[in-house]
Amino acid sequence: MLKGISASGFEFEIDEEVLDDWEMLELLQEIDEGKIGKLAKAIVFLLGQRQYEKLKNFIKARDGKIKASVMIDEFTSIMNAEKEVKN
């Protein structure tokens, strides 16, 4: 398990096997190709359902909404933090 913290302070754990999973790579490729709708699936794949729900609650605004831009920033931050933890 790799542990890390996003730029906003969200603490997470990632199973190292997920980082070497072909389906995760396919999801990242699709996101890179502009299929932003695949982001939610990639986040669940990366963090698991339990941590995904924790992340949503962590970034939820006072009005109960989750901004897509904030979720994208969190995903990017987690991916960058994961690289730092792994090295």
Side-chain angles (χ1 to χ4, degrees), residues 52-87:
Y52 174 62
E53 294 300 327
K54 282 177 62 176
L55 177 59
K56 289 193 319 183
N57 287 327
F58 182 81
I59 64 174
K60 192 174 286 188
R62 289 182 184 204
D63 63 3
K65 296 180 181 175
I66 301 168
K67 290 187 174 190
S69 59
V70 175
M71 184 61 84
I72 291 167
D73 288 346
E74 282 297 313
F75 179 72
T76 301
S77 180
I78 289 169
M79 292 301 288
N80 288 334
E82 173 275 318
K83 290 175 189 171
E84 291 174 16
V85 170
K86 193 174 178 183
N87 291 332

Side-chain angles (χ1 to χ4, degrees), residues 20-51:
D20 191 31
D21 189 283
W22 186 256
E23 290 181 2
M24 182 64 179
L25 182 62
E26 288 177 326
L27 284 171
L28 294 174
Q29 179 181 0
E30 289 182 274
I31 293 166
D32 193 46
E33 292 171 350
K35 296 178 183 173
I36 198 71
K38 298 284 184 169
L39 185 60
K41 186 173 181 177
I43 296 171
V44 172
F45 201 96
L46 181 67
L47 297 176
Q49 189 65 43
R50 182 184 59 79
Q51 284 191 104

